[in-house]
mmCIF file of all heavy atoms in Angstrom:
data_model
loop_
_atom_site.group_PDB
_atom_site.id
_atom_site.type_symbol
_atom_site.label_atom_id
_atom_site.label_comp_id
_atom_site.label_asym_id
_atom_site.label_seq_id
_atom_site.Cartn_x
_atom_site.Cartn_y
_atom_site.Cartn_z
ATOM 1 N N ILE A 7 185.583 28.171 -88.501
ATOM 2 C CA ILE A 7 187.019 28.053 -88.375
ATOM 3 C C ILE A 7 187.580 29.455 -88.305
ATOM 4 O O ILE A 7 187.362 30.245 -89.210
ATOM 5 C CB ILE A 7 187.627 27.329 -89.575
ATOM 6 C CG1 ILE A 7 186.962 25.968 -89.745
ATOM 7 C CG2 ILE A 7 189.108 27.195 -89.431
ATOM 8 C CD1 ILE A 7 187.347 25.293 -91.028
ATOM 9 N N PRO A 8 188.271 29.841 -87.266
ATOM 10 C CA PRO A 8 188.555 29.052 -86.070
ATOM 11 C C PRO A 8 187.347 28.970 -85.133
ATOM 12 O O PRO A 8 186.257 29.359 -85.513
ATOM 13 C CB PRO A 8 189.706 29.821 -85.418
ATOM 14 C CG PRO A 8 189.449 31.220 -85.832
ATOM 15 C CD PRO A 8 188.902 31.144 -87.243
ATOM 16 N N LEU A 9 187.587 28.527 -83.914
ATOM 17 C CA LEU A 9 186.549 28.244 -82.950
ATOM 18 C C LEU A 9 185.638 29.440 -82.748
ATOM 19 O O LEU A 9 186.071 30.541 -82.507
ATOM 20 C CB LEU A 9 187.185 27.855 -81.611
ATOM 21 C CG LEU A 9 186.243 27.621 -80.430
ATOM 22 C CD1 LEU A 9 185.309 26.475 -80.751
ATOM 23 C CD2 LEU A 9 187.060 27.316 -79.189
ATOM 24 N N PHE A 68 187.383 38.140 -89.677
ATOM 25 C CA PHE A 68 188.377 37.721 -88.695
ATOM 26 C C PHE A 68 187.712 37.629 -87.335
ATOM 27 O O PHE A 68 186.699 38.281 -87.070
ATOM 28 C CB PHE A 68 189.546 38.714 -88.638
ATOM 29 C CG PHE A 68 190.402 38.723 -89.866
ATOM 30 C CD1 PHE A 68 190.047 39.494 -90.969
ATOM 31 C CD2 PHE A 68 191.552 37.950 -89.939
ATOM 32 C CE1 PHE A 68 190.818 39.507 -92.114
ATOM 33 C CE2 PHE A 68 192.335 37.960 -91.082
ATOM 34 C CZ PHE A 68 191.967 38.729 -92.172
ATOM 35 N N THR A 69 188.263 36.810 -86.483
ATOM 36 C CA THR A 69 187.807 36.712 -85.118
ATOM 37 C C THR A 69 189.024 36.728 -84.202
ATOM 38 O O THR A 69 190.150 36.444 -84.630
ATOM 39 C CB THR A 69 186.991 35.420 -84.887
ATOM 40 O OG1 THR A 69 186.391 35.453 -83.590
ATOM 41 C CG2 THR A 69 187.872 34.181 -85.004
ATOM 42 N N ILE A 71 190.822 35.184 -80.923
ATOM 43 C CA ILE A 71 190.889 34.073 -79.972
ATOM 44 C C ILE A 71 192.127 34.282 -79.118
ATOM 45 O O ILE A 71 193.248 34.219 -79.612
ATOM 46 C CB ILE A 71 190.947 32.719 -80.691
ATOM 47 C CG1 ILE A 71 189.675 32.511 -81.517
ATOM 48 C CG2 ILE A 71 191.107 31.583 -79.684
ATOM 49 C CD1 ILE A 71 189.639 31.201 -82.259
ATOM 50 N N ASN A 74 195.228 36.323 -80.373
ATOM 51 C CA ASN A 74 195.430 36.188 -81.813
ATOM 52 C C ASN A 74 194.204 36.647 -82.602
ATOM 53 O O ASN A 74 193.062 36.392 -82.216
ATOM 54 C CB ASN A 74 195.729 34.726 -82.172
ATOM 55 C CG ASN A 74 196.986 34.227 -81.492
ATOM 56 O OD1 ASN A 74 197.974 34.952 -81.388
ATOM 57 N ND2 ASN A 74 196.947 32.983 -81.037
ATOM 58 N N ARG A 75 194.469 37.327 -83.712
ATOM 59 C CA ARG A 75 193.424 37.707 -84.656
ATOM 60 C C ARG A 75 193.525 36.745 -85.838
ATOM 61 O O ARG A 75 194.540 36.701 -86.523
ATOM 62 C CB ARG A 75 193.633 39.149 -85.130
ATOM 63 C CG ARG A 75 192.578 39.672 -86.103
ATOM 64 C CD ARG A 75 192.820 41.161 -86.335
ATOM 65 N NE ARG A 75 191.863 41.719 -87.288
ATOM 66 C CZ ARG A 75 192.076 41.822 -88.593
ATOM 67 N NH1 ARG A 75 193.226 41.387 -89.106
ATOM 68 N NH2 ARG A 75 191.167 42.352 -89.382
ATOM 69 N N GLU A 76 192.459 35.947 -86.036
ATOM 70 C CA GLU A 76 192.545 34.865 -87.000
ATOM 71 C C GLU A 76 191.412 34.929 -88.014
ATOM 72 O O GLU A 76 190.310 35.394 -87.717
ATOM 73 C CB GLU A 76 192.511 33.514 -86.271
ATOM 74 C CG GLU A 76 193.673 33.346 -85.309
ATOM 75 C CD GLU A 76 193.584 32.066 -84.506
ATOM 76 O OE1 GLU A 76 192.578 31.352 -84.654
ATOM 77 O OE2 GLU A 76 194.519 31.787 -83.755
ATOM 78 N N ARG A 77 191.706 34.451 -89.185
ATOM 79 C CA ARG A 77 190.745 34.468 -90.285
ATOM 80 C C ARG A 77 189.751 33.318 -90.143
ATOM 81 O O ARG A 77 190.119 32.198 -89.788
ATOM 82 C CB ARG A 77 191.490 34.343 -91.609
ATOM 83 C CG ARG A 77 190.606 34.504 -92.837
ATOM 84 C CD ARG A 77 191.484 34.670 -94.066
ATOM 85 N NE ARG A 77 190.698 34.812 -95.278
ATOM 86 C CZ ARG A 77 191.221 35.181 -96.448
ATOM 87 N NH1 ARG A 77 192.502 35.445 -96.540
ATOM 88 N NH2 ARG A 77 190.450 35.287 -97.511
ATOM 89 N N VAL A 78 188.488 33.601 -90.413
ATOM 90 C CA VAL A 78 187.442 32.579 -90.396
ATOM 91 C C VAL A 78 187.252 32.074 -91.816
ATOM 92 O O VAL A 78 186.853 32.818 -92.711
ATOM 93 C CB VAL A 78 186.115 33.142 -89.854
ATOM 94 C CG1 VAL A 78 185.037 32.066 -89.882
ATOM 95 C CG2 VAL A 78 186.309 33.671 -88.433
ATOM 96 N N TRP A 79 187.525 30.804 -92.041
ATOM 97 C CA TRP A 79 187.514 30.236 -93.386
ATOM 98 C C TRP A 79 186.145 29.703 -93.787
ATOM 99 O O TRP A 79 185.792 29.702 -94.964
ATOM 100 C CB TRP A 79 188.543 29.111 -93.480
ATOM 101 C CG TRP A 79 189.942 29.560 -93.213
ATOM 102 C CD1 TRP A 79 190.595 29.546 -92.016
ATOM 103 C CD2 TRP A 79 190.866 30.097 -94.158
ATOM 104 N NE1 TRP A 79 191.866 30.041 -92.153
ATOM 105 C CE2 TRP A 79 192.066 30.381 -93.466
ATOM 106 C CE3 TRP A 79 190.802 30.353 -95.529
ATOM 107 C CZ2 TRP A 79 193.181 30.921 -94.085
ATOM 108 C CZ3 TRP A 79 191.927 30.887 -96.155
ATOM 109 C CH2 TRP A 79 193.093 31.169 -95.436
ATOM 110 N N HIS A 200 187.192 21.035 -81.350
ATOM 111 C CA HIS A 200 188.172 22.060 -81.670
ATOM 112 C C HIS A 200 189.377 21.999 -80.734
ATOM 113 O O HIS A 200 190.507 22.255 -81.151
ATOM 114 C CB HIS A 200 187.540 23.444 -81.602
ATOM 115 C CG HIS A 200 187.110 23.955 -82.937
ATOM 116 N ND1 HIS A 200 187.995 24.317 -83.911
ATOM 117 C CD2 HIS A 200 185.878 24.152 -83.468
ATOM 118 C CE1 HIS A 200 187.340 24.723 -84.976
ATOM 119 N NE2 HIS A 200 186.049 24.624 -84.738
ATOM 120 N N GLU A 203 191.363 19.071 -82.212
ATOM 121 C CA GLU A 203 191.814 19.195 -83.589
ATOM 122 C C GLU A 203 192.128 20.636 -83.982
ATOM 123 O O GLU A 203 192.036 20.998 -85.146
ATOM 124 C CB GLU A 203 190.730 18.642 -84.534
ATOM 125 C CG GLU A 203 190.326 17.223 -84.255
ATOM 126 C CD GLU A 203 191.418 16.237 -84.608
ATOM 127 O OE1 GLU A 203 192.280 16.600 -85.430
ATOM 128 O OE2 GLU A 203 191.413 15.128 -84.054
ATOM 129 N N ARG A 204 192.476 21.440 -83.021
ATOM 130 C CA ARG A 204 192.653 22.867 -83.283
ATOM 131 C C ARG A 204 193.632 23.118 -84.419
ATOM 132 O O ARG A 204 194.724 22.567 -84.459
ATOM 133 C CB ARG A 204 193.168 23.560 -82.021
ATOM 134 C CG ARG A 204 193.350 25.056 -82.223
ATOM 135 C CD ARG A 204 192.823 25.813 -81.029
ATOM 136 N NE ARG A 204 192.967 27.237 -81.220
ATOM 137 C CZ ARG A 204 192.083 27.971 -81.881
ATOM 138 N NH1 ARG A 204 191.035 27.403 -82.413
ATOM 139 N NH2 ARG A 204 192.267 29.256 -82.029
ATOM 140 N N LEU A 205 193.225 23.974 -85.343
ATOM 141 C CA LEU A 205 194.033 24.225 -86.522
ATOM 142 C C LEU A 205 194.616 25.632 -86.541
ATOM 143 O O LEU A 205 195.182 26.065 -87.542
ATOM 144 C CB LEU A 205 193.179 24.020 -87.782
ATOM 145 C CG LEU A 205 192.572 22.625 -87.895
ATOM 146 C CD1 LEU A 205 191.651 22.551 -89.091
ATOM 147 C CD2 LEU A 205 193.669 21.584 -88.002
ATOM 148 N N ASP A 206 194.442 26.366 -85.456
ATOM 149 C CA ASP A 206 195.033 27.710 -85.329
ATOM 150 C C ASP A 206 194.692 28.620 -86.504
ATOM 151 O O ASP A 206 195.510 29.436 -86.948
ATOM 152 C CB ASP A 206 196.554 27.628 -85.190
ATOM 153 C CG ASP A 206 196.955 26.901 -83.926
ATOM 154 O OD1 ASP A 206 196.261 27.045 -82.910
ATOM 155 O OD2 ASP A 206 197.959 26.186 -83.962
ATOM 156 N N GLY A 207 193.473 28.491 -87.003
ATOM 157 C CA GLY A 207 193.027 29.376 -88.071
ATOM 158 C C GLY A 207 193.710 29.141 -89.395
ATOM 159 O O GLY A 207 193.635 29.982 -90.292
ATOM 160 N N SER A 208 194.396 28.028 -89.568
ATOM 161 C CA SER A 208 195.176 27.802 -90.787
ATOM 162 C C SER A 208 194.810 26.495 -91.459
ATOM 163 O O SER A 208 195.656 25.775 -91.953
ATOM 164 C CB SER A 208 196.673 27.802 -90.453
ATOM 165 O OG SER A 208 197.051 28.999 -89.846
ATOM 166 N N ILE A 209 193.525 26.181 -91.485
ATOM 167 C CA ILE A 209 193.116 24.878 -92.022
ATOM 168 C C ILE A 209 193.520 24.720 -93.484
ATOM 169 O O ILE A 209 193.837 23.633 -93.945
ATOM 170 C CB ILE A 209 191.601 24.684 -91.857
ATOM 171 C CG1 ILE A 209 191.226 23.245 -92.229
ATOM 172 C CG2 ILE A 209 190.814 25.681 -92.683
ATOM 173 C CD1 ILE A 209 189.835 22.878 -91.834
ATOM 174 N N ALA A 210 193.518 25.812 -94.249
ATOM 175 C CA ALA A 210 193.853 25.700 -95.667
ATOM 176 C C ALA A 210 195.292 25.294 -95.890
ATOM 177 O O ALA A 210 195.668 24.867 -96.976
ATOM 178 C CB ALA A 210 193.574 27.026 -96.366
ATOM 179 N N PHE A 211 196.117 25.413 -94.846
ATOM 180 C CA PHE A 211 197.519 25.064 -94.986
ATOM 181 C C PHE A 211 197.800 23.623 -94.578
ATOM 182 O O PHE A 211 198.913 23.153 -94.705
ATOM 183 C CB PHE A 211 198.382 25.999 -94.135
ATOM 184 C CG PHE A 211 198.386 27.411 -94.647
ATOM 185 C CD1 PHE A 211 197.436 28.314 -94.219
ATOM 186 C CD2 PHE A 211 199.338 27.833 -95.559
ATOM 187 C CE1 PHE A 211 197.421 29.615 -94.690
ATOM 188 C CE2 PHE A 211 199.335 29.133 -96.032
ATOM 189 C CZ PHE A 211 198.373 30.028 -95.589
ATOM 190 N N VAL A 212 196.789 22.919 -94.075
ATOM 191 C CA VAL A 212 197.010 21.561 -93.596
ATOM 192 C C VAL A 212 197.308 20.620 -94.759
ATOM 193 O O VAL A 212 198.277 19.876 -94.744
ATOM 194 C CB VAL A 212 195.783 21.064 -92.814
ATOM 195 C CG1 VAL A 212 195.962 19.597 -92.433
ATOM 196 C CG2 VAL A 212 195.580 21.910 -91.567
#
Side-chain angles (χ1 to χ4, degrees):
I7 304 171
L9 175 61
F68 291 85
T69 189
I71 298 180
N74 299 320
R75 181 173 178 267
E76 299 175 356
R77 186 168 179 169
V78 179
W79 299 93
H200 263 291
E203 304 290 338
R204 181 137 181 84
L205 302 175
D206 297 325
S208 302
I209 188 168
F211 292 89
V212 174

